[in-house]
Amino acid sequence: ELLIGQHVKAAPTLKSIGLDTIPTGYILVESGTLTTLEFVSDTRPIPRNKPDIAMAHALAAELLGMKLVYLEAGSGAALPVDPEMIAACHGYVSVPLIVGGGIRSGEQARAAVDAGASFVVVGNALERNTGRTLLSELAAAVHGA
């Protein structure tokens, strides 16, 4: 249902409003805890210590015509995607990488960018830290990389 069913339901609406879509390979990566995404989608993540499996999935996404690959640890992740996995995928595919889930500091965001992330997604950490300090820290880390 989540792999294609919801896409089929949404396709006519997306076409009717003329929304541009970007095909993205979405890869769920183990984060050290059961995340909301795992629970809701009833999916199993790629083990965080198996970059070769992530590389194969990223390559399959690229060969299927995806324009981006998203390495996602999930909402509420205890640990972010390991920089080794990011670097392995970055060196294996030519499409940009998005990395998200479990990123709570500028240091973690910088590590993702240094490993090859083209985009870093931060959600829960910003929701919980409504001041500007964390946002400024993340921006400085990512744009300074």
Side-chain angles (χ1 to χ4, degrees), residues 54-72:
M55 291 165 58
H57 280 77
L59 182 59
E62 182 176 38
L63 294 176
L64 287 168
M66 303 299 167
K67 303 299 182 194
L68 299 165
V69 169
Y70 191 161
L71 296 172
E72 166 75 295

Side-chain angles (χ1 to χ4, degrees), residues 106-107 109-110 113 132-145:
E107 183 179 312
R110 178 67 180 251
V113 171
R132 300 183 113 188
T133 305
L134 179 59
L135 183 58
S136 297
E137 177 187 340
L138 291 166
V142 169
H143 294 288

Side-chain angles (χ1 to χ4, degrees), residues 8-22:
V8 170
K9 291 176 186 174
T13 301
L14 295 174
K15 182 177 175 79
S16 72
I17 63 175
L19 183 68
D20 289 331
T21 59
I22 303 171

Side-chain angles (χ1 to χ4, degrees), residues 98-125:
I98 304 169
V99 177
I103 297 173
R104 295 179 180 81
S105 69
E107 183 179 312
Q108 290 172 321
R110 178 67 180 251
V113 171
D114 286 347
S118 303
F119 303 93
V120 175
V121 175
V122 179
N124 288 350

Side-chain angles (χ1 to χ4, degrees), residues 1-2 13 19-20 29 31-32 35 38 43 53 64-66 82 107 115 123 126 133 138 142 144-145:
E1 178 61 16
L2 294 175
T13 301
L19 183 68
D20 289 331
V29 179
S31 71
T35 63
E38 289 175 66
T43 56
I53 297 174
L64 287 168
M66 303 299 167
D82 191 286
E107 183 179 312
L126 288 173
T133 305
L138 291 166
V142 169

